Amino acid sequence: MKYRGVEYQVVQTISGAFRWSIQFGEQEKSGLQPRRDTAIVHVKNLIDGRAERFPRLETASARS
């Protein structure tokens, strides 16, 4: 999936939780959330926070 030009993934695990992952350049972040919608909101909040701190990075990734 894509949000603000940044690719992310949300997949359901065998236990029923949802694992999210996102790549910012060479740095990868991931985690677990109990519900799919909370995992997506969490990822979007991370992307929004990253865009506020590093506006040029978000703009550059949105162009590609």
Short mmCIF file of all heavy atoms in Angstrom, two decimals:
data_model
loop_
_atom_site.label_atom_id
_atom_site.label_comp_id
_atom_site.label_asym_id
_atom_site.label_seq_id
_atom_site.Cartn_x
_atom_site.Cartn_y
_atom_site.Cartn_z
N MET A 1 0.85 -1.17 0.00
CA MET A 1 0.00 0.00 0.00
C MET A 1 0.89 1.23 0.00
O MET A 1 2.08 1.13 0.31
CB MET A 1 -0.92 -0.01 1.21
CG MET A 1 -1.97 -1.12 1.16
SD MET A 1 -3.15 -1.03 2.51
CE MET A 1 -2.30 -1.99 3.74
N LYS A 2 0.31 2.37 -0.33
CA LYS A 2 1.08 3.60 -0.42
C LYS A 2 0.32 4.74 0.23
O LYS A 2 -0.90 4.84 0.09
CB LYS A 2 1.32 3.91 -1.89
CG LYS A 2 2.47 4.81 -2.17
CD LYS A 2 2.67 4.95 -3.67
CE LYS A 2 4.13 4.72 -3.97
NZ LYS A 2 4.45 5.00 -5.35
N TYR A 3 1.05 5.58 0.97
CA TYR A 3 0.48 6.76 1.61
C TYR A 3 1.51 7.88 1.50
O TYR A 3 2.66 7.69 1.90
CB TYR A 3 0.13 6.47 3.07
CG TYR A 3 -0.39 7.64 3.85
CD1 TYR A 3 -1.67 8.14 3.60
CD2 TYR A 3 0.36 8.26 4.83
CE1 TYR A 3 -2.18 9.22 4.31
CE2 TYR A 3 -0.13 9.34 5.54
CZ TYR A 3 -1.40 9.81 5.28
OH TYR A 3 -1.88 10.88 5.98
N ARG A 4 1.11 9.00 0.94
CA ARG A 4 2.00 10.15 0.75
C ARG A 4 3.28 9.77 0.01
O ARG A 4 4.35 10.26 0.30
CB ARG A 4 2.35 10.80 2.07
CG ARG A 4 1.22 11.55 2.70
CD ARG A 4 1.71 12.26 3.94
NE ARG A 4 1.02 13.53 4.05
CZ ARG A 4 1.45 14.52 4.78
NH1 ARG A 4 2.56 14.42 5.47
NH2 ARG A 4 0.77 15.64 4.85
N GLY A 5 3.16 8.84 -0.91
CA GLY A 5 4.31 8.42 -1.70
C GLY A 5 5.22 7.43 -1.01
O GLY A 5 6.27 7.09 -1.54
N VAL A 6 4.86 6.95 0.18
CA VAL A 6 5.69 6.01 0.94
C VAL A 6 4.98 4.66 0.95
O VAL A 6 3.81 4.56 1.31
CB VAL A 6 5.92 6.51 2.39
CG1 VAL A 6 6.75 5.52 3.17
CG2 VAL A 6 6.55 7.89 2.39
N GLU A 7 5.72 3.61 0.56
CA GLU A 7 5.17 2.26 0.56
C GLU A 7 5.19 1.67 1.97
O GLU A 7 6.14 1.87 2.72
CB GLU A 7 6.01 1.35 -0.35
CG GLU A 7 5.96 1.72 -1.80
CD GLU A 7 4.91 0.97 -2.57
OE1 GLU A 7 4.39 -0.04 -2.06
OE2 GLU A 7 4.60 1.42 -3.68
N TYR A 8 4.13 0.95 2.31
CA TYR A 8 4.08 0.23 3.58
C TYR A 8 3.30 -1.06 3.40
O TYR A 8 2.59 -1.23 2.41
CB TYR A 8 3.47 1.10 4.69
CG TYR A 8 1.99 1.39 4.54
CD1 TYR A 8 1.04 0.58 5.14
CD2 TYR A 8 1.55 2.48 3.80
CE1 TYR A 8 -0.32 0.85 5.01
CE2 TYR A 8 0.20 2.76 3.66
CZ TYR A 8 -0.72 1.94 4.27
OH TYR A 8 -2.06 2.20 4.14
N GLN A 9 3.46 -1.97 4.35
CA GLN A 9 2.76 -3.25 4.29
C GLN A 9 2.07 -3.52 5.63
O GLN A 9 2.61 -3.20 6.68
CB GLN A 9 3.73 -4.39 4.03
CG GLN A 9 4.37 -4.34 2.68
CD GLN A 9 5.31 -5.52 2.47
OE1 GLN A 9 5.69 -6.21 3.41
NE2 GLN A 9 5.67 -5.74 1.23
N VAL A 10 0.90 -4.13 5.53
CA VAL A 10 0.19 -4.61 6.72
C VAL A 10 -0.29 -6.02 6.38
O VAL A 10 -1.02 -6.21 5.41
CB VAL A 10 -1.02 -3.71 7.07
CG1 VAL A 10 -1.80 -4.30 8.23
CG2 VAL A 10 -0.57 -2.30 7.40
N VAL A 11 0.18 -7.00 7.15
CA VAL A 11 -0.20 -8.39 6.91
C VAL A 11 -0.68 -9.02 8.22
O VAL A 11 -0.22 -8.66 9.30
CB VAL A 11 0.97 -9.21 6.32
CG1 VAL A 11 1.34 -8.72 4.95
CG2 VAL A 11 2.16 -9.19 7.23
N GLN A 12 -1.60 -9.97 8.09
CA GLN A 12 -2.11 -10.66 9.27
C GLN A 12 -1.22 -11.85 9.59
O GLN A 12 -0.85 -12.62 8.71
CB GLN A 12 -3.54 -11.13 9.04
CG GLN A 12 -4.20 -11.65 10.29
CD GLN A 12 -5.69 -11.89 10.11
OE1 GLN A 12 -6.17 -12.02 9.01
NE2 GLN A 12 -6.40 -11.94 11.22
N THR A 13 -0.89 -11.99 10.87
CA THR A 13 -0.07 -13.11 11.32
C THR A 13 -0.96 -14.31 11.65
O THR A 13 -2.19 -14.19 11.72
CB THR A 13 0.75 -12.72 12.57
OG1 THR A 13 -0.15 -12.46 13.64
CG2 THR A 13 1.62 -11.51 12.31
N ILE A 14 -0.33 -15.43 11.89
CA ILE A 14 -1.07 -16.65 12.26
C ILE A 14 -1.85 -16.44 13.55
O ILE A 14 -2.96 -16.95 13.72
CB ILE A 14 -0.10 -17.84 12.40
CG1 ILE A 14 0.46 -18.19 11.03
CG2 ILE A 14 -0.78 -19.05 13.00
CD1 ILE A 14 1.54 -19.25 11.04
N SER A 15 -1.30 -15.65 14.46
CA SER A 15 -1.97 -15.42 15.75
C SER A 15 -3.17 -14.48 15.63
O SER A 15 -3.91 -14.32 16.59
CB SER A 15 -0.97 -14.84 16.75
OG SER A 15 -0.59 -13.54 16.35
N GLY A 16 -3.33 -13.85 14.46
CA GLY A 16 -4.46 -12.95 14.26
C GLY A 16 -4.11 -11.48 14.39
O GLY A 16 -4.90 -10.61 14.03
N ALA A 17 -2.92 -11.16 14.91
CA ALA A 17 -2.46 -9.77 14.99
C ALA A 17 -2.04 -9.31 13.59
O ALA A 17 -1.92 -10.11 12.66
CB ALA A 17 -1.29 -9.66 15.96
N PHE A 18 -1.82 -8.02 13.45
CA PHE A 18 -1.41 -7.47 12.17
C PHE A 18 -0.02 -6.85 12.28
O PHE A 18 0.22 -5.98 13.11
CB PHE A 18 -2.43 -6.42 11.70
CG PHE A 18 -3.72 -7.03 11.27
CD1 PHE A 18 -4.69 -7.33 12.18
CD2 PHE A 18 -3.93 -7.35 9.95
CE1 PHE A 18 -5.88 -7.92 11.80
CE2 PHE A 18 -5.11 -7.95 9.53
CZ PHE A 18 -6.09 -8.23 10.46
N ARG A 19 0.89 -7.34 11.45
CA ARG A 19 2.26 -6.83 11.42
C ARG A 19 2.33 -5.75 10.34
O ARG A 19 1.92 -5.95 9.22
CB ARG A 19 3.26 -7.94 11.09
CG ARG A 19 4.69 -7.41 10.93
CD ARG A 19 5.72 -8.49 10.85
NE ARG A 19 5.80 -9.29 12.04
CZ ARG A 19 6.40 -8.92 13.16
NH1 ARG A 19 6.97 -7.74 13.24
NH2 ARG A 19 6.43 -9.72 14.20
N TRP A 20 2.86 -4.60 10.74
CA TRP A 20 3.06 -3.51 9.80
C TRP A 20 4.55 -3.30 9.61
O TRP A 20 5.35 -3.60 10.50
CB TRP A 20 2.39 -2.21 10.29
CG TRP A 20 2.86 -1.77 11.64
CD1 TRP A 20 2.29 -2.07 12.84
CD2 TRP A 20 4.00 -0.97 11.94
NE1 TRP A 20 3.01 -1.51 13.86
CE2 TRP A 20 4.07 -0.81 13.34
CE3 TRP A 20 4.98 -0.35 11.16
CZ2 TRP A 20 5.07 -0.08 13.97
CZ3 TRP A 20 5.97 0.38 11.79
CH2 TRP A 20 6.00 0.52 13.17
N SER A 21 4.92 -2.84 8.42
CA SER A 21 6.32 -2.51 8.16
C SER A 21 6.38 -1.36 7.18
O SER A 21 5.51 -1.19 6.32
CB SER A 21 7.08 -3.72 7.61
OG SER A 21 6.56 -4.12 6.38
N ILE A 22 7.42 -0.56 7.34
CA ILE A 22 7.61 0.63 6.51
C ILE A 22 9.11 0.84 6.35
O ILE A 22 9.88 0.55 7.25
CB ILE A 22 6.93 1.86 7.14
CG1 ILE A 22 6.98 3.03 6.22
CG2 ILE A 22 7.49 2.17 8.50
CD1 ILE A 22 6.09 4.17 6.62
N GLN A 23 9.50 1.34 5.19
CA GLN A 23 10.91 1.58 4.90
C GLN A 23 11.11 3.07 4.65
O GLN A 23 10.47 3.65 3.78
CB GLN A 23 11.31 0.79 3.66
CG GLN A 23 12.76 0.89 3.30
CD GLN A 23 13.54 -0.30 3.80
OE1 GLN A 23 12.97 -1.33 4.08
NE2 GLN A 23 14.83 -0.15 3.90
N PHE A 24 12.00 3.69 5.46
CA PHE A 24 12.41 5.08 5.26
C PHE A 24 13.86 5.06 4.84
O PHE A 24 14.76 4.95 5.68
CB PHE A 24 12.29 5.89 6.55
CG PHE A 24 10.88 6.17 6.99
CD1 PHE A 24 10.40 5.65 8.17
CD2 PHE A 24 10.04 6.97 6.23
CE1 PHE A 24 9.10 5.91 8.59
CE2 PHE A 24 8.76 7.24 6.65
CZ PHE A 24 8.29 6.71 7.82
N GLY A 25 14.11 5.10 3.54
CA GLY A 25 15.49 5.02 3.07
C GLY A 25 16.05 3.66 3.44
O GLY A 25 15.53 2.63 3.06
N GLU A 26 17.13 3.66 4.25
CA GLU A 26 17.73 2.40 4.68
C GLU A 26 17.22 1.95 6.04
O GLU A 26 17.57 0.87 6.51
CB GLU A 26 19.25 2.54 4.69
CG GLU A 26 19.79 2.82 3.31
CD GLU A 26 21.24 2.46 3.18
OE1 GLU A 26 21.79 1.82 4.10
OE2 GLU A 26 21.80 2.81 2.15
N GLN A 27 16.40 2.75 6.67
CA GLN A 27 15.86 2.42 7.99
C GLN A 27 14.48 1.77 7.84
O GLN A 27 13.61 2.30 7.16
CB GLN A 27 15.75 3.68 8.84
CG GLN A 27 15.25 3.43 10.23
CD GLN A 27 15.08 4.72 11.02
OE1 GLN A 27 15.01 5.80 10.45
NE2 GLN A 27 14.99 4.59 12.32
N GLU A 28 14.32 0.61 8.46
CA GLU A 28 13.03 -0.06 8.42
C GLU A 28 12.42 -0.09 9.82
O GLU A 28 13.12 -0.28 10.80
CB GLU A 28 13.17 -1.50 7.92
CG GLU A 28 11.85 -2.21 7.81
CD GLU A 28 11.95 -3.60 7.23
OE1 GLU A 28 12.89 -3.86 6.46
OE2 GLU A 28 11.10 -4.43 7.58
N LYS A 29 11.12 0.13 9.88
CA LYS A 29 10.40 0.04 11.14
C LYS A 29 9.27 -0.97 10.95
O LYS A 29 8.69 -1.06 9.88
CB LYS A 29 9.82 1.40 11.54
CG LYS A 29 10.86 2.42 11.91
CD LYS A 29 10.21 3.64 12.51
CE LYS A 29 11.31 4.56 13.00
NZ LYS A 29 10.88 5.40 14.07
N SER A 30 8.98 -1.70 12.03
CA SER A 30 7.87 -2.66 11.97
C SER A 30 7.33 -2.86 13.38
O SER A 30 7.97 -2.50 14.37
CB SER A 30 8.33 -3.98 11.38
OG SER A 30 9.30 -4.58 12.20
N GLY A 31 6.16 -3.43 13.44
CA GLY A 31 5.54 -3.69 14.73
C GLY A 31 4.27 -4.49 14.57
O GLY A 31 3.90 -4.88 13.47
N LEU A 32 3.60 -4.72 15.68
CA LEU A 32 2.35 -5.48 15.70
C LEU A 32 1.23 -4.62 16.29
O LEU A 32 1.46 -3.86 17.23
CB LEU A 32 2.49 -6.74 16.54
CG LEU A 32 3.31 -7.87 15.98
CD1 LEU A 32 3.47 -8.96 17.03
CD2 LEU A 32 2.66 -8.44 14.74
N GLN A 33 0.06 -4.78 15.75
CA GLN A 33 -1.14 -4.14 16.28
C GLN A 33 -2.23 -5.21 16.32
O GLN A 33 -2.25 -6.12 15.49
CB GLN A 33 -1.59 -2.98 15.39
CG GLN A 33 -0.66 -1.80 15.37
CD GLN A 33 -0.67 -1.03 16.68
OE1 GLN A 33 -1.69 -0.97 17.36
NE2 GLN A 33 0.46 -0.47 17.04
N PRO A 34 -3.16 -5.11 17.24
CA PRO A 34 -4.20 -6.15 17.36
C PRO A 34 -5.23 -6.12 16.22
O PRO A 34 -5.82 -7.15 15.91
CB PRO A 34 -4.86 -5.85 18.69
CG PRO A 34 -4.57 -4.41 18.97
CD PRO A 34 -3.25 -4.12 18.30
N ARG A 35 -5.41 -4.95 15.59
CA ARG A 35 -6.42 -4.82 14.53
C ARG A 35 -5.80 -4.17 13.30
O ARG A 35 -4.88 -3.38 13.39
CB ARG A 35 -7.59 -3.97 15.01
CG ARG A 35 -8.35 -4.61 16.15
CD ARG A 35 -9.50 -3.82 16.67
NE ARG A 35 -9.91 -2.71 15.83
CZ ARG A 35 -10.64 -1.69 16.25
NH1 ARG A 35 -11.03 -1.64 17.50
NH2 ARG A 35 -10.97 -0.71 15.44
N ARG A 36 -6.35 -4.51 12.14
CA ARG A 36 -5.82 -3.99 10.88
C ARG A 36 -5.96 -2.47 10.82
O ARG A 36 -5.02 -1.77 10.43
CB ARG A 36 -6.56 -4.62 9.70
CG ARG A 36 -6.01 -4.21 8.35
CD ARG A 36 -6.73 -4.95 7.22
NE ARG A 36 -6.10 -4.70 5.96
CZ ARG A 36 -6.42 -3.68 5.16
NH1 ARG A 36 -7.36 -2.83 5.51
NH2 ARG A 36 -5.79 -3.49 4.01
N ASP A 37 -7.10 -1.95 11.20
CA ASP A 37 -7.31 -0.50 11.11
C ASP A 37 -6.35 0.27 12.03
O ASP A 37 -5.86 1.34 11.65
CB ASP A 37 -8.76 -0.11 11.35
CG ASP A 37 -9.29 -0.53 12.72
OD1 ASP A 37 -8.69 -1.41 13.36
OD2 ASP A 37 -10.31 0.03 13.15
N THR A 38 -6.05 -0.26 13.20
CA THR A 38 -5.11 0.43 14.09
C THR A 38 -3.68 0.35 13.53
O THR A 38 -2.90 1.27 13.71
CB THR A 38 -5.16 -0.12 15.52
OG1 THR A 38 -4.87 -1.52 15.52
CG2 THR A 38 -6.50 0.14 16.17
N ALA A 39 -3.35 -0.75 12.85
CA ALA A 39 -2.04 -0.86 12.22
C ALA A 39 -1.88 0.19 11.12
O ALA A 39 -0.85 0.86 11.02
CB ALA A 39 -1.84 -2.26 11.65
N ILE A 40 -2.91 0.38 10.31
CA ILE A 40 -2.85 1.36 9.22
C ILE A 40 -2.76 2.77 9.79
O ILE A 40 -1.97 3.60 9.31
CB ILE A 40 -4.07 1.19 8.28
CG1 ILE A 40 -3.93 -0.14 7.52
CG2 ILE A 40 -4.18 2.36 7.31
CD1 ILE A 40 -5.15 -0.52 6.72
N VAL A 41 -3.55 3.07 10.81
CA VAL A 41 -3.48 4.40 11.43
C VAL A 41 -2.09 4.65 12.01
O VAL A 41 -1.53 5.74 11.86
CB VAL A 41 -4.57 4.55 12.52
CG1 VAL A 41 -4.33 5.77 13.38
CG2 VAL A 41 -5.95 4.60 11.90
N HIS A 42 -1.51 3.64 12.64
CA HIS A 42 -0.17 3.77 13.23
C HIS A 42 0.87 4.10 12.14
O HIS A 42 1.69 5.00 12.30
CB HIS A 42 0.20 2.49 13.96
CG HIS A 42 1.49 2.58 14.70
ND1 HIS A 42 1.59 3.20 15.91
CD2 HIS A 42 2.73 2.14 14.38
CE1 HIS A 42 2.85 3.15 16.32
NE2 HIS A 42 3.55 2.50 15.41
N VAL A 43 0.81 3.37 11.03
CA VAL A 43 1.76 3.60 9.93
C VAL A 43 1.57 5.01 9.36
O VAL A 43 2.55 5.73 9.11
CB VAL A 43 1.58 2.54 8.83
CG1 VAL A 43 2.32 2.93 7.57
CG2 VAL A 43 2.05 1.19 9.32
N LYS A 44 0.34 5.42 9.15
CA LYS A 44 0.09 6.75 8.59
C LYS A 44 0.57 7.84 9.54
O LYS A 44 1.11 8.86 9.09
CB LYS A 44 -1.39 6.92 8.26
CG LYS A 44 -1.80 6.10 7.04
CD LYS A 44 -3.26 6.31 6.70
CE LYS A 44 -3.62 5.55 5.44
NZ LYS A 44 -5.01 5.77 5.04
N ASN A 45 0.43 7.64 10.83
CA ASN A 45 0.94 8.61 11.80
C ASN A 45 2.45 8.68 11.75
O ASN A 45 3.03 9.77 11.88
CB ASN A 45 0.46 8.26 13.22
CG ASN A 45 -1.00 8.56 13.44
OD1 ASN A 45 -1.59 9.36 12.72
ND2 ASN A 45 -1.59 7.92 14.42
N LEU A 46 3.12 7.54 11.58
CA LEU A 46 4.58 7.54 11.44
C LEU A 46 5.00 8.31 10.20
O LEU A 46 5.94 9.11 10.24
CB LEU A 46 5.11 6.11 11.35
CG LEU A 46 5.22 5.32 12.64
CD1 LEU A 46 5.60 3.88 12.33
CD2 LEU A 46 6.25 5.95 13.55
N ILE A 47 4.32 8.08 9.09
CA ILE A 47 4.65 8.78 7.84
C ILE A 47 4.40 10.27 7.99
O ILE A 47 5.23 11.09 7.58
CB ILE A 47 3.84 8.20 6.66
CG1 ILE A 47 4.28 6.75 6.39
CG2 ILE A 47 4.01 9.06 5.41
CD1 ILE A 47 3.41 6.00 5.42
N ASP A 48 3.28 10.66 8.59
CA ASP A 48 2.98 12.08 8.80
C ASP A 48 4.03 12.73 9.70
O ASP A 48 4.48 13.85 9.43
CB ASP A 48 1.59 12.26 9.41
CG ASP A 48 0.48 11.97 8.41
OD1 ASP A 48 0.74 11.99 7.19
OD2 ASP A 48 -0.65 11.72 8.87
N GLY A 49 4.45 12.07 10.75
CA GLY A 49 5.47 12.60 11.64
C GLY A 49 6.80 12.74 10.94
O GLY A 49 7.52 13.73 11.13
N ARG A 50 7.14 11.78 10.12
CA ARG A 50 8.38 11.84 9.35
C ARG A 50 8.34 13.00 8.36
O ARG A 50 9.32 13.71 8.18
CB ARG A 50 8.57 10.51 8.62
CG ARG A 50 9.84 10.38 7.84
CD ARG A 50 11.00 10.17 8.77
NE ARG A 50 12.17 9.84 7.99
CZ ARG A 50 13.22 9.24 8.45
NH1 ARG A 50 13.23 8.86 9.71
NH2 ARG A 50 14.24 9.00 7.70
N ALA A 51 7.19 13.21 7.73
CA ALA A 51 7.04 14.29 6.75
C ALA A 51 7.17 15.66 7.42
O ALA A 51 7.73 16.60 6.84
CB ALA A 51 5.70 14.18 6.03
N GLU A 52 6.68 15.79 8.65
CA GLU A 52 6.78 17.06 9.37
C GLU A 52 8.23 17.36 9.75
O GLU A 52 8.67 18.49 9.68
CB GLU A 52 5.92 17.03 10.63
CG GLU A 52 4.44 17.10 10.34
CD GLU A 52 3.60 16.92 11.59
OE1 GLU A 52 4.16 16.92 12.70
OE2 GLU A 52 2.38 16.79 11.44
N ARG A 53 8.97 16.32 10.15
CA ARG A 53 10.36 16.52 10.57
C ARG A 53 11.31 16.65 9.39
O ARG A 53 12.30 17.35 9.48
CB ARG A 53 10.82 15.36 11.46
CG ARG A 53 10.19 15.44 12.85
CD ARG A 53 10.68 14.34 13.74
NE ARG A 53 9.96 13.12 13.33
CZ ARG A 53 10.47 11.91 13.36
NH1 ARG A 53 11.68 11.70 13.77
NH2 ARG A 53 9.76 10.88 12.99
N PHE A 54 11.01 15.94 8.28
CA PHE A 54 11.89 15.93 7.12
C PHE A 54 11.08 16.17 5.85
O PHE A 54 10.90 15.25 5.04
CB PHE A 54 12.62 14.58 7.01
CG PHE A 54 13.38 14.20 8.24
CD1 PHE A 54 12.85 13.31 9.15
CD2 PHE A 54 14.63 14.75 8.49
CE1 PHE A 54 13.55 12.95 10.30
CE2 PHE A 54 15.34 14.39 9.63
CZ PHE A 54 14.80 13.50 10.53
N PRO A 55 10.59 17.39 5.63
CA PRO A 55 9.69 17.63 4.50
C PRO A 55 10.33 17.33 3.14
O PRO A 55 9.65 16.88 2.23
CB PRO A 55 9.33 19.10 4.62
CG PRO A 55 10.31 19.69 5.57
CD PRO A 55 10.83 18.56 6.41
N ARG A 56 11.64 17.55 2.99
CA ARG A 56 12.27 17.29 1.71
C ARG A 56 12.29 15.79 1.39
O ARG A 56 12.17 15.41 0.25
CB ARG A 56 13.69 17.83 1.68
CG ARG A 56 13.70 19.34 1.53
CD ARG A 56 15.08 19.84 1.28
NE ARG A 56 15.48 20.60 2.44
CZ ARG A 56 16.70 20.75 2.87
NH1 ARG A 56 17.70 20.21 2.23
NH2 ARG A 56 16.97 21.45 3.95
N LEU A 57 12.46 14.94 2.40
CA LEU A 57 12.47 13.51 2.17
C LEU A 57 11.12 13.03 1.69
O LEU A 57 11.02 12.23 0.76
CB LEU A 57 12.87 12.76 3.44
CG LEU A 57 14.31 12.91 3.91
CD1 LEU A 57 14.50 12.15 5.21
CD2 LEU A 57 15.27 12.41 2.86
N GLU A 58 10.06 13.50 2.30
CA GLU A 58 8.71 13.08 1.91
C GLU A 58 8.41 13.54 0.50
O GLU A 58 7.89 12.80 -0.31
CB GLU A 58 7.68 13.64 2.89
CG GLU A 58 6.29 13.06 2.72
CD GLU A 58 5.48 13.75 1.65
OE1 GLU A 58 5.65 14.94 1.44
OE2 GLU A 58 4.67 13.06 1.00
N THR A 59 8.78 14.77 0.16
CA THR A 59 8.52 15.31 -1.17
C THR A 59 9.31 14.53 -2.21
O THR A 59 8.79 14.18 -3.27
CB THR A 59 8.92 16.80 -1.23
OG1 THR A 59 8.24 17.49 -0.18
CG2 THR A 59 8.55 17.42 -2.55
N ALA A 60 10.54 14.19 -1.92
CA ALA A 60 11.37 13.44 -2.86
C ALA A 60 10.80 12.05 -3.09
O ALA A 60 10.76 11.57 -4.21
CB ALA A 60 12.80 13.35 -2.35
N SER A 61 10.35 11.37 -2.02
CA SER A 61 9.81 10.03 -2.19
C SER A 61 8.46 10.08 -2.92
O SER A 61 8.10 9.14 -3.61
CB SER A 61 9.68 9.33 -0.85
OG SER A 61 8.74 9.98 -0.03
N ALA A 62 7.72 11.15 -2.77
CA ALA A 62 6.43 11.28 -3.46
C ALA A 62 6.63 11.46 -4.96
O ALA A 62 5.77 11.08 -5.74
CB ALA A 62 5.63 12.45 -2.88
N ARG A 63 7.75 12.05 -5.35
CA ARG A 63 8.02 12.27 -6.77
C ARG A 63 8.39 10.98 -7.49
O ARG A 63 8.19 10.86 -8.67
CB ARG A 63 9.18 13.26 -6.94
CG ARG A 63 8.81 14.65 -6.56
CD ARG A 63 9.98 15.57 -6.79
NE ARG A 63 9.74 16.84 -6.15
CZ ARG A 63 10.68 17.65 -5.73
NH1 ARG A 63 11.95 17.31 -5.88
NH2 ARG A 63 10.39 18.79 -5.16
N SER A 64 8.99 10.03 -6.79
CA SER A 64 9.45 8.80 -7.47
C SER A 64 8.34 7.81 -7.68
O SER A 64 7.26 7.91 -7.31
CB SER A 64 10.58 8.15 -6.72
OG SER A 64 10.44 8.21 -5.34
#
